[in-house]
Amino acid sequence: MRFLTSSNAPASPSAMASIQTATVAGVQISLTLLEKVMDGTQIPVVKGLAGAAVEIIKIAKSIQANREECDDLTKRTTSLLVVILGSLSGQPEDAIPHHVKSGVERLTRRALIDYLVLSTLLICLDSDFQVVLAELQIIKTRTGKSNFGGLARAILYHMDNSDKLKTCLVRLQWAMDEFQVTTKVDSCLKDLERHEELRQGQKEMREEMREGFSEIRRVVKEQSTASVESDTLPTTVLPPDPKIFGRHDYVEMAIVVLISNGSARLAILGPGGMGKTCVSLKIVHDGRIIKRFGKNRYWVPCEQATSVNLLIELLAKTLNLPSSTSSDRFGEVVAWLEKCLHVHVLFVLDNFETPWDIEGQQSNVADILTRLSSIPSVSLILTMRGGQYPSEETIDWSTPRLPPLAPLDITAAQQAFVRISPDVADDPELGTLLQKLDRMPLALTLMAKLSAAGETISDLLSQWSSERTRMLAQPGGDRRNSIEVSIKLSIDSRTIKGNPDAIRLLSVLAMLPAGASLTQISDMCPSIPGWKVAIRVLRAAALVYDSADKRRVQVLSPIQSYVSLHHRLEQDALKDLRASYYKLVPLGKIFPGHPEFNEIAERLSKEEANMEAVLINALHDSSHDVEEALQVCWCYTSYLQWKQPRSEVVVEAIQVARAMRSPLLADCLMVYGTTIRGQGKHKASQPLLEEALAEYKKIGNYKLAARCQSLLGNILAIQGHHDKAQSLFQEARTSLIDFGATEDAAWCLWEIAQSFYLQRKYKPACAAFTQARSEFEDVNSRRGSASCLMFIGASLRNQGQDDEAQSALEKALTEMTEMGNHTGVARCFRELGRILAHKGEHSVALTKLKQAHTIYTQLGDISWIARCERDIKNVNVAVSEE
């Protein structure tokens, strides 16, 4: 059974074309043709649709108002019938789809629809036509009346009619769109069905082809790379002789090995950006190497050897071998070299890590390297990022082996920097900048270029603090002019990617500027049980290096910065790292005489830089307990007062505490104030202690408020305001006694004695120190007792009682040394030096004074450094006059 004709024959294409032409030609022709269709078909649904369309066009034709919309409606009605009839034209009944749902989305998810469901769709379309017909009848009725009650109502009806007509148009357009989409989907599905049998018949062939595709691709790739034209390969011309600094001993070692053997095999290893290429070029341009190898010094830039065949073709091009289609191109290279048995040949395989890291091809690359090294006339210099020699099992690398390249020493780093930017040669901050870069050649070269472009060293330091390696990354740069690209190549290497723990451990180590003790890693990285293997992997990639004593692993500063930016530590691992450092400092005030002071000092001796990095990171991480970090900052800075006072961490802590309105702000302010007071910066410490005093009163901690008051009195005494100072001391002492804080009250008495001492009232000072010492001993305060004993000795010296003073000071020195009180030790040395100088024992006196000077220099106390220098000068004058 076929649609559109009563004779089961398909409707002629000319008839369909006529209907389309009629749509454009005129409404009357459309009516005529549609009536013929209605009369000619025996399919009820189609006949009904055609009839409805005829009625719609007749009504639309009879409407005088809204003429434009009615004409448009006529055209769309005819067009819809054209779409429906055209899509069904000539199709057998069994080709009609049998499932449909209203809407394009559902139609596209269903298989072929059958005749029954298509009929339902046509009925739905007919329903739409009937609705349109009903609306048109209403419009005709309205417009057929002569009196609408005035022009205003006529205009309103006209507008209403227009809306009605537009609604009809929309409904017809929806119907047309739905049918078009449905028929298109049906057509696609029908095409798929027609091909099903072919797909079944080709199943086995597809399986075989799939299995062969990967092999075909591999062969095609190998063949394509094997046939690379010579002019597409990188240049193999030997680059010029570079200017290098600080590598002369290294270069000399390599040259000696090369000229002392029939053939030699050297590997220059190290991290990216360390200058391996420059060192290799310096070697091959040396006169002794030129004399031995002459023109047979071949430069092979392996950076572009991304396949085994490319590596072989590079070797062939380097030797100027003619193009060849031989299946054994490497055999041709070897044959040529073996003819040169009486000539020394030197190959420099630069950036050899590129072919070495080709996935699945390392054994083939190793075979090439081994074969080259076995030719008696061939010597090799291989540069490769990493710390591990390739093919150690099959290649006898020459001895002594060259060590991996290390950072430049400070002198060489300055020379390299100043050669590019000579105007900054005398900048006092240049050394600091170079140390920040860990004296890595590529990093300092890029930084020097920024300096030469006009950036000051101070600005570069500031930018490095905030931007790190990003400031040394050039858009579109490569490993030679972008530190980020250079480091990324190492991290993306096959060696690192093959061990996920390696990058996790590197993220931990990147947070520790002083590196990590090998005995400490297991404690700080419990989530990385395979850390020992990871360390070996990182060493092999030259992303970490061992300290001189082999007890710590460290990461170069540029690598630290890159990893911190691009491979941030996971929160769980970060929590473990912080916990391992927090426990190094017990909570509470730490001072000489504290039961754990020396043990803490020993633990922290090599961890201070790491502790500060961990704390600063924690202070700015709102995802964890910042209050805990503030407390550790306070305790740590309190400890530093007695070792080597530094305030960077507590300054950060104060800013965070202020922003958080933390009650720990007062503690941080007081410890900062006492720290810089201990460095002789009394004026700067005063406002800090005054703010701390106000904060303590605000939170109701009157005991520590009294302690602040006593410290402020000490500053006034040093400034010569002794009456005000004594008043503050007495007020604070009374308050502390009321609180039962006996030791703190004893310290107030110590401050009173100190005020007498500063006024050169040595007798009352000695009496007050003696009383304070008694109070300290009552509460077992070793620190307070020793401090009083030291000042008793100083007071006795100023009263001319040298022997009694020396005895007291030697006892105090022993106490201070045992407690680890460096400030007290330095003061005792100075006082003893002055006593010995007064006794004429100048040699011993100088020794004591120089010891004091050294400690004060370490502590950064400028005023006491100056006093020691004056004392030393006086002794030297006395010696010269003898």
Side-chain angles (χ1 to χ4, degrees):
M1 177 178 179
R2 295 183 181 273
F3 291 112
L4 304 182
T5 66
S6 59
S7 62
N8 293 340
S12 80
S14 60
M16 299 305 302
S18 298
I19 295 176
Q20 290 174 324
T21 303
T23 303
V24 179
V27 172
Q28 186 59 48
I29 298 175
S30 297
L31 281 169
T32 302
L33 292 177
L34 288 174
E35 287 171 345
K36 289 182 178 180
V37 170
M38 181 177 65
D39 293 338
T41 182
Q42 299 301 314
I43 309 305
V45 175
V46 176
K47 190 177 184 73
L49 280 170
V54 168
E55 292 299 317
I56 289 171
I57 292 173
K58 286 181 178 179
I59 295 172
K61 178 183 176 184
S62 66
I63 298 174
Q64 299 303 315
N66 305 100
R67 190 68 259 156
E68 182 179 347
E69 289 87 347
C70 290
D71 289 343
D72 194 9
L73 180 60
T74 298
K75 293 177 183 179
R76 293 199 187 194
T77 302
T78 307
S79 296
L80 177 58
L81 263 296
V82 169
V83 170
I84 295 171
L85 299 176
S87 66
L88 299 176
S89 175
Q91 295 190 30
E93 183 178 1
D94 57 2
I96 301 301
H98 62 283
H99 291 292
V100 70
K101 292 187 181 292
S102 58
V104 175
E105 294 178 348
R106 283 172 292 175
L107 283 172
T108 57
R109 292 196 298 268
R110 297 300 301 263
L112 300 173
I113 60 173
D114 58 13
Y115 168 70
L116 179 60
V117 179
L118 177 60
S119 298
T120 302
L121 173 61
L122 295 176
I123 291 170
C124 292
L125 294 173
D126 181 51
S127 176
D128 284 338
F129 281 2
Q130 296 300 334
V131 171
V132 172
L133 180 61
E135 296 288 354
L136 289 172
Q137 290 285 5
I138 295 171
I139 295 172
K140 181 178 179 181
T141 302
R142 288 180 177 175
T143 55
K145 294 180 180 181
S146 58
N147 183 12
F148 286 95
L151 179 60
R153 279 186 297 166
I155 293 173
L156 291 175
Y157 277 124
H158 177 78
M159 293 171 62
D160 187 29
N161 291 343
S162 178
D163 290 341
K164 293 282 188 180
L165 285 169
K166 288 177 182 178
T167 300
C168 293
L169 294 175
V170 170
R171 286 177 176 167
L172 288 172
Q173 187 63 49
W174 284 349
M176 183 182 295
D177 290 345
E178 181 177 30
F179 194 85
Q180 285 178 321
V181 171
T182 301
T183 54
K184 286 178 182 178
V185 172
D186 290 343
S187 176
C188 292
L189 292 173
K190 186 65 178 177
D191 289 341
L192 289 173
E193 185 180 55
R194 288 175 185 147
H195 289 291
E196 182 62 29
E197 185 175 346
L198 288 174
R199 286 200 300 271
Q200 291 297 328
Q202 295 170 346
K203 184 175 181 180
E204 293 184 5
M205 181 180 296
R206 285 202 311 273
E207 291 296 327
E208 293 176 2
M209 291 175 65
R210 187 179 294 111
E211 292 174 1
F213 275 159
S214 59
E215 179 64 20
I216 290 170
R217 281 194 291 266
R218 188 188 68 78
V219 171
V220 169
K221 183 177 179 181
E222 291 292 329
Q223 292 299 322
S224 64
T225 55
S227 61
V228 174
E229 295 292 337
S230 296
D231 57 4
T232 66
L233 293 172
T235 178
T236 59
V237 176
L238 185 63
D241 187 4
K243 181 72 174 176
I244 67 171
F245 299 91
R247 304 294 196 195
H248 302 293
D249 291 343
Y250 194 98
V251 169
E252 185 64 23
M253 182 189 303
I255 292 171
V256 169
V257 173
L258 285 166
I259 64 178
S260 301
N261 297 275
S263 63
R265 292 151 299 280
L266 299 176
I268 301 174
L269 307 176
M274 203 57 73
K276 299 181 290 297
T277 297
C278 286
V279 169
S280 69
L281 287 170
K282 197 67 181 176
I283 293 168
V284 298
H285 280 290
D286 185 85
R288 291 163 290 178
I289 299 299
I290 294 173
K291 181 178 179 181
R292 181 176 180 83
F293 297 97
K295 294 182 179 180
N296 299 314
R297 295 168 295 137
Y298 296 107
W299 176 263
V300 186
C302 299
E303 183 176 354
Q304 296 184 36
T306 54
S307 72
V308 174
N309 283 336
L310 267 176
L311 175 61
I312 294 171
E313 198 62 32
L314 274 169
L315 292 169
K317 181 184 178 184
T318 302
L319 297 173
N320 291 319
L321 298 185
S323 299
S324 171
T325 58
S326 170
S327 60
D328 187 14
R329 184 64 161 159
F330 183 60
E332 295 178 353
V333 172
V334 172
W336 189 94
L337 291 171
E338 287 180 337
K339 293 178 182 179
C340 305
L341 293 179
H342 302 294
V343 177
H344 294 294
V345 177
L346 175 61
F347 273 114
V348 180
L349 304 177
D350 188 46
N351 290 316
F352 193 72
E353 70 275 358
T354 299
W356 187 252
D357 272 345
I358 298 172
E359 188 172 358
Q361 296 296 315
Q362 191 172 98
S363 61
N364 293 330
V365 175
D367 289 343
I368 292 172
L369 190 61
T370 301
R371 186 70 183 92
L372 287 175
S373 68
S374 69
I375 301 174
S377 60
V378 173
S379 292
L380 296 176
I381 297 177
L382 178 148
T383 74
M384 183 173 175
R385 60 178 60 215
Q388 187 173 353
Y389 279 74
S391 300
E392 289 194 87
E393 304 82 3
T394 56
I395 297 178
D396 184 17
W397 294 98
S398 299
T399 56
R401 288 189 177 186
L402 298 175
L405 280 177
L408 300 174
D409 61 47
I410 189 63
T411 301
Q414 288 176 330
Q415 291 172 343
F417 196 100
V418 170
R419 180 174 180 267
I420 299 170
S421 181
D423 293 341
V424 300
D426 298 324
D427 194 303
E429 293 186 294
L430 177 57
T432 302
L433 177 62
L434 297 176
Q435 295 291 14
K436 292 282 187 183
L437 299 174
D438 260 346
R439 309 175 309 286
M440 178 186 271
L442 177 59
L444 67 86
T445 297
L446 297 175
M447 194 71 83
K449 290 179 180 179
L450 293 176
S451 172
E455 298 278 359
T456 67
I457 298 299
S458 179
D459 288 342
L460 292 175
L461 277 168
S462 177
Q463 290 179 52
W464 179 256
S465 297
S466 59
E467 298 180 35
R468 299 288 177 173
T469 52
R470 285 177 295 197
M471 69 181 293
L472 302 180
Q474 298 185 11
D478 58 22
R479 70 177 78 194
R480 290 178 294 273
N481 55 26
S482 172
I483 195 69
E484 290 218 330
V485 171
S486 179
I487 296 169
K488 186 176 186 298
L489 284 172
S490 294
I491 290 177
D492 289 346
S493 68
R494 186 170 52 84
T495 303
I496 297 300
K497 287 188 173 180
N499 188 312
D501 281 347
I503 193 64
R504 295 181 63 210
L505 181 58
L506 184 62
S507 297
V508 173
L509 297 174
M511 290 192 63
L512 307 175
S517 166
L518 291 172
T519 60
Q520 186 184 1
I521 293 178
S522 59
D523 181 54
M524 68 173 62
C525 303
S527 62
I528 310 178
W531 67 267
K532 290 184 179 179
V533 175
I535 284 288
R536 289 197 291 271
V537 170
L538 292 172
R539 283 193 186 113
L543 289 169
V544 302
Y545 66 96
D546 293 323
S547 61
D549 60 6
K550 306 295 183 184
R551 294 181 179 179
R552 300 177 74 84
V553 288
Q554 295 178 270
V555 182
L556 291 171
S557 176
I559 298 176
Q560 289 177 23
S561 300
Y562 177 87
V563 174
S564 297
L565 286 171
H566 300 286
H567 297 276
R568 292 179 178 244
L569 195 56
E570 300 165 354
Q571 279 298 320
D572 288 345
L574 187 57
K575 183 178 179 181
D576 292 335
L577 178 65
R578 287 171 181 161
S580 70
Y581 274 91
Y582 286 2
K583 70 182 182 183
L584 294 179
V585 182
L587 299 182
K589 195 170 183 181
I590 306 167
F591 48 81
H594 186 285
E596 299 180 38
F597 185 81
N598 288 334
E599 182 183 342
I600 293 169
E602 178 65 25
R603 287 202 305 260
L604 285 172
S605 60
K606 295 183 179 180
E607 300 297 334
E608 290 178 4
N610 291 345
M611 173 66 79
E612 290 167 22
V614 169
L615 285 174
I616 289 175
N617 175 273
L619 287 172
H620 297 285
D621 183 0
S622 59
S623 65
H624 86 299
D625 185 2
V626 179
E627 287 284 341
E628 183 182 13
L630 287 172
Q631 193 168 26
V632 176
C633 285
W634 168 65
C635 297
Y636 175 69
T637 307
S638 175
Y639 154 80
L640 286 178
Q641 290 181 76
W642 307 104
K643 297 293 290 182
Q644 188 173 356
R646 290 195 302 280
S647 52
E648 292 85 355
V649 171
V650 78
V651 168
E652 294 278 346
I654 288 170
Q655 294 175 356
V656 173
R658 276 205 181 103
M660 293 175 56
R661 299 186 177 180
S662 169
L664 290 169
L665 173 61
D667 291 331
C668 293
L669 286 166
M670 185 167 78
V671 76
Y672 182 29
T674 54
T675 295
I676 63 174
R677 182 182 72 107
Q679 295 175 315
K681 301 173 184 177
H682 303 103
K683 189 174 182 180
S685 69
Q686 186 171 348
L688 293 167
L689 293 171
E690 288 173 346
E691 185 180 357
L693 174 62
E695 288 293 324
Y696 279 128
K697 288 181 177 179
K698 187 187 298 183
I699 63 176
N701 192 333
Y702 295 103
K703 176 182 173 181
L704 288 177
R707 183 67 185 134
C708 272
Q709 195 171 340
S710 176
L711 292 170
L712 285 167
N714 177 264
I715 293 172
L716 289 173
I718 291 171
Q719 294 172 343
H721 305 300
H722 296 289
D723 290 341
K724 292 181 180 179
Q726 290 280 359
S727 176
L728 285 175
F729 293 145
Q730 290 293 354
E731 183 180 342
R733 179 171 167 80
T734 300
S735 297
L736 290 167
I737 290 172
D738 290 342
F739 286 120
T742 307
E743 184 177 357
D744 288 326
W747 279 109
C748 284
L749 182 55
W750 183 94
E751 297 284 6
I752 292 170
Q754 177 81 346
S755 178
F756 285 131
Y757 184 87
L758 291 172
Q759 296 177 71
R760 300 184 179 181
K761 298 178 181 180
Y762 300 117
K763 190 172 182 178
C766 192
F769 279 126
T770 301
Q771 182 183 345
R773 185 185 180 202
S774 176
E775 293 184 12
F776 282 127
E777 289 177 343
D778 287 342
V779 293
N780 296 316
S781 175
R782 189 181 182 188
R783 179 171 68 97
S785 176
S787 181
C788 288
L789 185 58
M790 179 181 70
F791 276 101
I792 289 170
S795 299
L796 291 171
R797 181 189 66 78
N798 281 291
Q799 294 178 71
Q801 302 176 45
D802 287 348
D803 292 338
E804 293 86 346
Q806 185 174 348
S807 175
L809 286 164
E810 287 174 348
K811 291 178 182 177
L813 177 60
T814 301
E815 290 288 306
M816 296 292 187
T817 302
E818 290 179 358
M819 290 187 295
N821 187 338
H822 296 293
T823 303
V825 169
R827 185 66 180 268
C828 288
F829 275 138
R830 179 174 182 261
E831 293 294 337
L832 286 169
R834 298 179 77 185
I835 290 172
L836 292 167
H838 188 256
K839 288 183 174 183
E841 299 177 26
H842 297 126
S843 177
V844 183
L846 278 174
T847 300
K848 299 292 184 186
L849 292 170
K850 288 178 180 178
Q851 288 175 309
H853 183 273
T854 298
I855 296 172
Y856 280 128
T857 300
Q858 292 172 348
L859 295 172
D861 194 324
I862 299 172
S863 63
W864 283 100
I865 291 171
R867 293 177 192 182
C868 288
E869 290 174 350
R870 184 175 64 246
D871 293 337
I872 291 169
K873 181 180 179 180
N874 291 337
V875 174
N876 285 327
V877 169
V879 170
S880 66
E881 292 176 352
E882 289 181 350

